[in-house]
Structures are given as C-alpha cells and as structure tokens.
Amino acid sequence: MALKLNIKDTFNKELPADPILENNRRQVRNACFSYVSPKVPSKPSLVHVSQEMIEAIGLKESPDSMEFLEVFSGTTVLPNTNPYAMCYGGHQFGHWAGQLGDGRAINLAEVVHSNKRWVLQLKGAGETPYSRTADGLAVLRSSIREYLCSEAMFHLGVPTTRALSLILTGDKVLRDVMYDGNPAYEKGAIVCRVSPSFIRFGNFEILAAQEDKKTLKALVDYTIKHHYSHLGKPSKGTYLRFFKEVAVRSMEMVVHWQRVGFVHGVMNTDNMSILGLTIDYGPYGWLEDYDLGWTPNTTDRTNKRYRFGTQPQIVLWNLLQLANALFPLIEEAALLQDILKEYQEDVEVAYLAMMKSKLGLFEKDDNDKNLIADLETVLQLSETDMTIFFRLLAKVKKNDVSDGLNTIQDAFYQPDEIKEGIEDQWKSWFSKYGERLKKETRNDTERGELMNRVNPKYVLRNYMAQMVIDAADEGDYKHLSELFDLLKKPYDEQPEQEKWFAKRPEWARNKVGCSMLSCSS
Ligand code: AMP
Ligand code: MG
C-alpha cells in the first residue's frame, strides 16, 4: 500500500529537464534538473521523526509503518512521481565554482496540504549527475546536526527549511573528518528535508553563467508564479520587486541569526535560499563566547570569511551575485544597485531594532546605537556566554543597576578576569544602561518578559549536538529525543532541563565537533 499524500509536482513538470537519464556525472545545460532515483539502502531503520512535519504534509499513516521507512529511505519511489536532482552553480568562498547541483540531495515530490506546498527531499540518498568527485551519501553525525538544527531554528522563529525524518541506511560511509589523512567508516544516514522550495541563488547563477536566458527566464517566472505570486505577472517591474523581496527576506533571516547567535559557516551562494530560509546545515555553530570573529568552520579558519560578525555583509555580497544573475532579464544595473543600497541601509536599521529588543529598549533614543556598540566591545573583553548573558540581563532591575554586573556574573567563562580595567568598563556600561532604562515606561517584569521572548534560554550548543551524536552512534537515541523536545520551546523556562542552561564545559573547548567542524559530512 502506497502512502497517501496529495502529490502536486510542479518543478519537474513545468521546467526544462536534462534529457539524459543515465546517472553519470556530467555538465548539464539548458535544464533545471536531472531525473535520478535514490540509491536503495541495505538495511534502513528509523531513528526519529518530526510529528509536526508529519502533520504538516498531511500524512495519516504511522511513521512506524514499512511504507514510511521505504519511501523516506529511498527504497521505493512513490507512485506517479519522478525524483530529480536540481542543477545549480555557486560562488564558494568568494569565487565562482561553476556547476554544483544536488550532489547528494534527491527531490522526491511536492505535496500540497492545508494550502501549503512542501517539497520532500532526501539528503544522502546516493549519487546524482551533480555528485562531482563525492559519493552522494551523508553520515549520521552530520544528519543529526541538520535534523536537530532545522527544527530548533524553526522553533526559535528563524526562517528555515524543515526536517521530517532521520533514517539510518545500514550502509557504511568513509569520511576523513578533519581532512588529515585519517579516513574512517561511519554510519550512513538520510534526512528527509522539507521546504516550500529548495531553489537557491545558485540555480539562477548557473543559467546566467551559461548565457541561457530562456531557461533563466523560465526559472524566474516559475519561482514568481509559485512562491511570489503576489508580485504579479512577469515583467521587468515584477522582476525588480522579486529581487527586492528576496533581499528583504534574506536580511530578515540574517538578522535572526545575529539575534540567536547562529553562525552558518558556509554562506556560499549555493547555500542561499531564494525564499530567505536558512538552508544546508553543515559546519554551522552556535556562539557561546560572544566573539564577532568566530567561525566554527575549520575549512574557513584562515580567512574567516563567514565569521559571525560579517554574516549580514556576506548576505549583501551574495545578493550582488544574484543581481548579476538576474541582470539579463532587467538590463538596468542602476535599479538593481538601488536595491542593494537599500539593503545596506535597511540591515543597519533592522540590526539596531533587533539589538534594542534584546536589551529591552523599546523607547526611542538616538544614542542606542552607541550603547549597543559599547556593549559589543565589553562583551568581547573576556569570554562571555551570549545566551546566558542576555537571559540574565532580563533580570536586571531598573532602579538597582549597580547590581547588574553581579546579575550577569554566570555568563563569564573566566570570572577572575573581571577586575580592574575590564570590571570598570562593565560598570561604566551598566551605569549607562541604567540611565537608559529610566526612559522605559514598562516595569521590570514586563520588560523582562519581552526580552525573554527574543533571547532564547536554550539553543543547540555545539557540544550538546555532539553528545547526542556520540550516544546515537552507539544506538542510543534517548538524548536525541530529549534535545529535540527541549528545543521545541527554546524561550520557555523548563526547570527540569536547567542543566542545559549552562556554559560550554571545558572538555568541549577544543573538541572536534564541539568547537571545530569541517565540511566533511
Ligand atoms: P555544501 O558545501 O554541503 O553546500 O556542498 C557543496 C556542493 O557539494 C553541493 O553541490 C553538494 O551537493 C555537494 N556535495 C557535498 N557533499 C557531497 C557528497 N557527499 N556527495 C556528493 N555531493 C556532495
Ligand atoms: Mg550546499
């Protein structure tokens, strides 16, 4: 019996397909995708499902059924569907990389439920024409990270792709985690990712690079028709409004990242969703110590192109690449440049508003920008935990700010360092903050409650994910379930889970997977 899903494919029905059906690696032209079937895994087993996503896609059958396991492990293909891998290119670490594409992602089908469209995509389901030199597979370690983080981000209120299921394939996958010549076998896994669309900036870039204006226009028109239909029928004006809205959505996404302390790690243009969703959870990380220069990605350790503090600027750089790709349809560079200029102005305004909300500042004050810049300076004088700092800041009393430094004491990794010059700077900052709080009309309780809605109590700290991974590797999924549930309510007090409201333990400081991650996944 087949799973009952309301399948309504559009991408592979309305856009040009690669005519070659063989699954060999190749350069694809004049097409948006290639048909490909998932690899049949040797002994699949279900690890976890997101009940919310089961409901979102309108699935009535139990995820414990054989049918579910078969479809979402790639063992069987749903009737009347034609799985495919998408063709895209991208700028990687600032350089044009040519054709990339879904090298290990296979789109199964589109489902419409409750007026929402969802693409079901298996990540790690085997080779595609875009696999280049790699194997098309994914390991349990990186699949857990993607699975947990996409759901956690959703519950933090950050635009993101979602995850439906995590399945072990029963096959072994060879990986050299730190690229140091020590490859080892790991457990293979498949995440079913779910999103209204997985189209990236790179899908447009590859067509522009190939000077294939016809397919480029088809893809832009398709994207507008299905995902930006409120912008109107295809025209130059509509294309500009489309670019503007992508810019706004990408800006909103990155400002959320800065709010919760998320560092993507690989903001290449092939990892930028055209819907402004966080996509491709690879060597991402969560800020523990508030350090604008931090990146979790060891591959980027030298240049730190994708460090925390530069993420909003990188979005701008990526938007410029998208503008170049859309140019053939608009042909007026100045109009695209205006939108990029607006991004620069808007992102500053949005960042300021976001930081004000983290500090509980709701009234207008022209000096807030300086107060925030000063805070960012003091936060970086000594290792200070971002999540704990902002959560404790909500406890500071308007009329007793002299106690502020004590209130946030637990956020310091090296409390001994908070003396002399550093202590003076903190005290000076708290006294300015205290003065500023006097302007606020809300009382301490109201302000604290509002702050706790933008400053999460629980985030997926890097070492937490690693603990889940180590247990899961031994076949113990209890911790995975526990964290999955914890992160569904990241802003709530969960007294029984207080142990997760803690600084990163010392053992995790330099452990692989906790503070350092490579692209090997
Ligand atoms: P990423 O850095 O994960 O965004 O990947 C960049 C490109 O490499 C994308 O085209 C991926 O599909 C591809 N890729 C990454 N890992 C693999 C793999 N194990 N097998 C095939 N393609 C891969
Ligand atoms: Mg990617």
Side-chain angles (χ1 to χ4, degrees):
M1 266 248 307
L3 292 181
K4 284 195 275 308
L5 286 164
N6 183 28
I7 291 167
K8 293 267 190 286
D9 284 341
T10 58
F11 191 91
N12 59 357
K13 291 220 160 116
E14 297 175 21
L15 289 166
D18 170 11
I20 303 173
L21 297 178
E22 272 165 74
N23 191 358
N24 58 5
R25 288 139 211 241
R26 58 184 175 266
Q27 293 293 311
V28 172
R29 295 195 72 91
N30 309 117
C32 291
F33 64 93
S34 306
Y35 292 110
V36 62
S37 298
K39 175 181 189 245
V40 176
S42 65
K43 199 169 178 294
S45 57
L46 184 65
V47 175
H48 206 270
V49 289
S50 165
Q51 198 52 43
E52 279 175 5
M53 290 319 291
I54 298 268
E55 283 158 31
I57 63 166
L59 191 72
K60 299 281 180 296
E61 288 92 341
S62 161
D64 295 321
S65 66
M66 202 42 137
E67 287 81 4
F68 185 93
L69 186 66
E70 286 182 346
V71 169
F72 295 106
S73 66
T75 308
T76 57
V77 169
L78 286 160
N80 306 316
T81 64
N82 296 293
Y84 60 95
M86 290 200 260
C87 179
Y88 55 79
H91 279 83
Q92 297 188 314
F93 298 96
H95 305 281
W96 174 242
Q99 179 183 297
L100 298 167
D102 286 332
R104 55 169 168 176
I106 297 179
N107 303 276
L108 297 182
E110 292 169 49
V111 167
V112 175
H113 182 68
S114 291
N115 287 320
K116 281 205 182 118
R117 178 172 297 280
W118 297 106
V119 180
L120 307 175
Q121 183 189 77
L122 302 185
K123 185 167 175 179
E127 290 170 51
T128 77
Y130 308 96
S131 296
R132 297 180 293 155
T133 57
D135 56 11
L137 305 174
V139 294
L140 180 61
R141 145 176 74 80
S142 61
S143 304
I144 288 180
R145 286 170 48 82
E146 171 131 30
Y147 180 79
L148 270 181
C149 201
S150 36
E151 290 301 282
M153 290 283 267
F154 172 77
H155 291 288
L156 282 164
V158 184
T160 178
T161 61
R162 303 288 305 268
L164 172 76
S165 58
L166 172 64
I167 288 176
L168 276 173
T169 57
D171 297 312
K172 293 270 172 251
V173 176
L174 194 62
R175 286 289 181 270
D176 186 356
V177 184
M178 293 319 287
Y179 299 119
D180 58 2
N182 290 305
Y185 281 101
E186 299 185 43
K187 291 182 181 175
I190 295 175
V191 172
C192 178
R193 305 198 289 192
V194 184
S195 171
S197 168
F198 288 97
I199 300 174
R200 303 138 191 271
F201 288 11
N203 293 68
F204 304 93
E205 286 181 275
I206 189 74
L207 298 170
Q210 294 169 345
E211 296 180 20
D212 179 358
K213 191 170 162 182
K214 185 168 167 239
T215 314
L216 175 67
K217 183 175 185 316
L219 181 65
V220 173
D221 291 351
Y222 168 89
T223 309
I224 293 172
K225 175 181 163 196
H226 291 284
H227 304 286
Y228 289 86
S229 58
H230 55 282
L231 298 179
K233 293 267 171 289
S235 71
K236 214 185 246 194
T238 303
Y239 297 148
L240 276 170
R241 286 194 297 279
F242 167 59
F243 181 59
K244 171 72 188 177
E245 193 168 329
V246 174
V248 170
R249 289 195 196 187
S250 306
M251 177 193 81
E252 288 168 355
M253 171 191 78
V254 77
V255 171
H256 277 294
W257 291 359
Q258 305 308 102
R259 173 174 66 81
V260 298
F262 175 79
V263 188
H264 185 284
V266 204
M267 294 175 71
N268 294 332
T269 55
D270 51 303
N271 291 337
M272 291 288 295
S273 143
I274 202 67
L275 301 183
L277 305 173
T278 313
I279 189 171
D280 278 11
Y281 292 88
Y284 68 82
W286 290 84
L287 218 58
E288 278 156 341
D289 171 28
Y290 193 88
D291 175 3
L292 291 167
W294 185 69
T295 173
N297 185 356
T298 52
T299 317
D300 192 22
R301 201 191 260 157
T302 325
N303 296 318
K304 293 193 179 175
R305 179 179 171 85
Y306 298 140
R307 60 191 185 271
F308 178 60
T310 51
Q311 295 189 121
Q313 285 311 304
I314 293 292
V315 167
L316 175 66
W317 194 91
N318 289 344
L319 284 166
L320 171 60
Q321 308 316 314
L322 179 64
N324 280 333
L326 298 178
F327 176 77
L329 304 183
I330 295 167
E331 290 178 323
E332 274 185 79
L335 299 175
L336 289 160
Q337 272 159 359
D338 286 346
I339 293 170
L340 293 171
K341 218 165 144 246
E342 283 162 22
Y343 173 91
Q344 284 170 280
E345 292 154 8
D346 294 350
V347 79
E348 275 205 33
V349 174
Y351 184 78
L352 179 62
M354 177 278 287
M355 287 302 282
K356 280 184 64 162
S357 71
K358 285 182 81 68
L359 289 161
L361 304 176
F362 302 99
E363 306 303 325
K364 195 176 150 23
D365 187 325
D366 291 339
N367 201 38
D368 282 347
K369 207 174 158 180
N370 295 329
L371 183 72
I372 287 160
D374 289 349
L375 173 64
E376 294 194 317
T377 305
V378 276
L379 275 172
Q380 293 183 90
L381 293 176
S382 173
E383 243 184 306
T384 312
D385 193 275
M386 176 182 183
T387 304
I388 298 180
F389 171 79
F390 281 105
R391 204 63 190 192
L392 295 179
L393 192 67
K395 295 185 194 259
V396 169
K397 302 265 178 291
K398 212 183 209 169
N399 294 320
D400 193 13
V401 181
S402 57
D403 204 36
L405 191 52
N406 267 337
T407 310
I408 59 114
Q409 195 69 21
D410 269 354
F412 295 124
Y413 280 88
Q414 318 287 345
D416 299 351
E417 282 181 15
I418 314 302
K419 57 185 181 206
E420 293 153 19
I422 297 183
E423 186 178 18
D424 292 345
Q425 290 190 60
W426 267 114
K427 284 190 168 157
S428 142
W429 186 80
F430 267 111
S431 100
K432 283 185 257 175
Y433 182 54
E435 279 305 306
R436 174 63 184 81
L437 281 184
K438 289 189 185 145
K439 264 199 166 180
E440 292 298 314
T441 49
R442 291 180 174 80
N443 65 32
D444 287 335
T445 313
E446 289 166 342
R447 189 184 70 253
E449 277 170 10
L450 289 173
M451 288 168 78
N452 285 347
R453 275 189 232 164
V454 292
N455 296 322
K457 173 138 185 170
Y458 303 106
V459 294
L460 182 59
R461 290 171 183 271
N462 313 307
Y463 83 91
M464 290 160 69
Q466 190 57 40
M467 285 170 75
V468 167
I469 289 165
D470 291 342
D473 221 26
E474 303 291 318
D476 172 359
Y477 308 130
K478 215 173 52 248
H479 299 284
L480 171 64
S481 272
E482 192 193 329
L483 269 201
F484 187 88
D485 292 339
L486 168 78
L487 297 171
K488 273 190 193 163
K489 292 187 173 146
Y491 299 99
D492 289 6
E493 295 293 331
Q494 299 184 50
E496 69 290 0
Q497 298 285 12
E498 196 70 15
K499 64 173 184 277
W500 297 121
F501 182 63
K503 280 170 284 199
R504 174 203 61 224
E506 252 331 278
W507 60 258
R509 180 181 288 273
N510 293 314
K511 185 171 153 56
V512 173
C514 294
S515 59
M516 293 187 293
L517 291 137
S518 74
C519 286
S520 161
S521 59

